Amino acid sequence: MDSQVAEAEDLLPDPKALNGPAKSMRFVRGAGWTMIGAGTLIIAFLAYQLLFTNLLNSRSQNRAETALEQKFEEARVAPLEPVVLTPTSPPSTVVKEDQEPVPVTTPISFYEEASPELGTAFGRIVIPKIDLDVVIFEGVERNTLKQGPGHMPWTPLPGQAGNAVVSGHRTTYGAPFYDLDVMEPGDEIFVETVIGESTYVVREILIVKPTDVWVTDNRPGAWLTLTTCNPRFSARERLIIVAEMVDGPNFEYAQALLDGVIDVVGS
Amino acid sequence: MRKLFGLLPGPAPVRVLIMIVLSVVLLVALGFLFESAGDLLDNGGTIG
């Protein structure tokens, strides 16, 4: 009997040998589930960033569009009265490239626009070259930029003299500045606010560090600086488009300021 | 999910409530994680 049991035990596989494959199977299964979990998380992240944020932005832009149209309609019914300025020095002879001479012998109109409330839509930026037509908002807070490009409140408004800075997302939240890298000197940018439409022409394209705040410094004349992340899908650098005003309600005023024939008005 | 449900204390309605609360907390945490990680891809292009 004992010999039969011993023979039967010999026939059974070694428990140690069984334990090895079972352990490795558990490990493989665990690793598999971990990879499936990580993959699902990555897919969910990409879907959130590249699809869901665009949907959120689209809704915000549609709402802002309606509010902005109403604001523009009110401005058409009751246009802003310009401040009329008289030059204090002889006519200017300064002529910049691509620009008409600015007659400063006659009074110059200056259209001042009150600072919009933070987070509100106040204008539209149109760049035909990259097929961009979006509403711009006041402020560069995280929640504001989710709605569309935002104007840095401590810089002049677009359409005013000085350096107006507008920042926008490159790859998420509607990716308004996705194609900004294809802009070249000479390309046109249009900005419409309650004072009317201003035309800018690209003069410089820069790649800088995110901490290079000098790009937001004020400049003589009237400028528009667009800032966005660079390269695409990375916040490592900033792509900067610097454009100069060549037409608009405050163009003559900005030129007269540049020529030093009038003094700065307003804040 | 079933294992987790089985591990929760209390009667079934309490477990369901706990599961709902846990799901909401998980979603909020995921949203926060995605937003923070999203800043590495694109933080809006601001300067400074």
Side-chain angles (χ1 to χ4, degrees):
Chain A
M1 186 68 184
D2 284 348
S3 64
Q4 279 180 335
V5 170
E7 275 175 26
E9 278 179 351
D10 286 345
L11 288 174
L12 286 170
D14 182 6
K16 281 181 187 169
L18 270 179
N19 203 22
K23 260 188 180 173
S24 62
M25 276 305 291
R26 271 207 301 273
F27 173 76
V28 169
R29 192 173 293 154
W33 279 112
T34 306
M35 280 192 269
I36 288 170
T40 308
L41 207 61
I42 290 169
I43 289 168
F45 171 69
L46 291 176
Y48 178 82
Q49 287 295 332
L50 304 178
L51 300 175
F52 185 67
T53 62
N54 289 347
L55 286 176
L56 288 179
N57 175 268
S58 175
R59 280 182 55 194
S60 300
Q61 281 283 321
N62 287 340
R63 271 202 305 266
E65 182 100 19
T66 311
L68 193 66
E69 275 309 314
Q70 198 176 341
K71 206 180 260 188
F72 284 174
E73 190 54 44
E74 284 167 13
R76 272 180 219 118
V77 173
L80 282 173
E81 286 296 320
V83 176
V84 180
L85 307 160
T86 308
T88 54
S89 60
S92 168
T93 53
V94 176
V95 181
K96 301 192 78 177
E97 56 173 343
D98 305 337
Q99 292 174 4
E100 293 294 314
V102 184
V104 288
T105 49
T106 52
I108 294 164
S109 296
F110 163 62
Y111 295 84
E112 188 173 22
E113 185 178 349
S115 291
E117 275 182 47
L118 280 176
T120 58
F122 72 92
R124 173 193 302 285
I125 184 165
V126 178
I127 307 179
K129 179 155 185 183
I130 59 172
D131 204 21
L132 179 78
D133 182 348
V134 287
V135 175
I136 43 180
F137 296 80
E138 180 67 355
V140 287
E141 289 74 27
R142 179 190 283 256
N143 284 335
T144 305
L145 291 175
K146 285 178 180 177
Q147 302 180 76
H151 164 250
M152 285 187 184
W154 54 91
T155 65
L157 283 170
Q160 301 292 324
N163 185 21
V165 183
V166 172
S167 301
H169 279 285
R170 185 89 189 269
T171 49
T172 58
Y173 290 100
F177 291 164
Y178 186 83
D179 284 326
L180 217 56
D181 58 327
V182 303
M183 297 294 284
E184 291 170 313
D187 290 338
E188 286 185 318
I189 299 172
F190 303 94
V191 177
E192 187 182 5
T193 66
V194 287
I195 66 165
E197 188 179 81
S198 302
T199 307
Y200 294 85
V201 167
V202 175
R203 299 283 183 222
E204 270 184 286
I205 295 143
L206 310 164
I207 306 283
V208 301
K209 289 179 192 162
T211 50
D212 283 340
V213 288
W214 56 267
V215 297
T216 67
D217 287 350
N218 210 8
R219 289 167 170 240
W223 298 83
L224 176 68
T225 298
L226 305 180
T227 77
T228 192
C229 291
N230 192 70
R232 283 183 191 133
F233 303 104
S234 167
R236 197 175 67 233
E237 299 167 335
R238 295 289 179 269
L239 172 64
I240 312 292
I241 304 291
V242 182
E244 185 179 15
M245 188 193 281
V246 293
D247 195 18
N250 279 329
F251 175 63
E252 286 185 4
Y253 167 70
Q255 287 297 301
L257 269 184
L258 197 61
D259 298 343
V261 293
I262 55 165
D263 296 323
V264 178
V265 176
S267 52
Chain B
M1 287 288 271
R2 279 183 192 164
K3 273 185 186 174
L4 181 66
F5 190 79
L7 288 173
L8 293 174
V14 175
R15 290 183 189 187
V16 170
L17 196 68
I18 294 172
M19 283 293 275
I20 291 170
V21 171
L22 282 179
S23 305
V24 171
V25 169
L26 185 72
L27 277 177
V28 171
L30 265 183
F32 184 76
L33 177 77
F34 285 179
E35 281 289 318
S36 306
D39 280 353
L40 299 173
L41 291 183
D42 180 352
N43 65 0
T46 52
I47 295 280

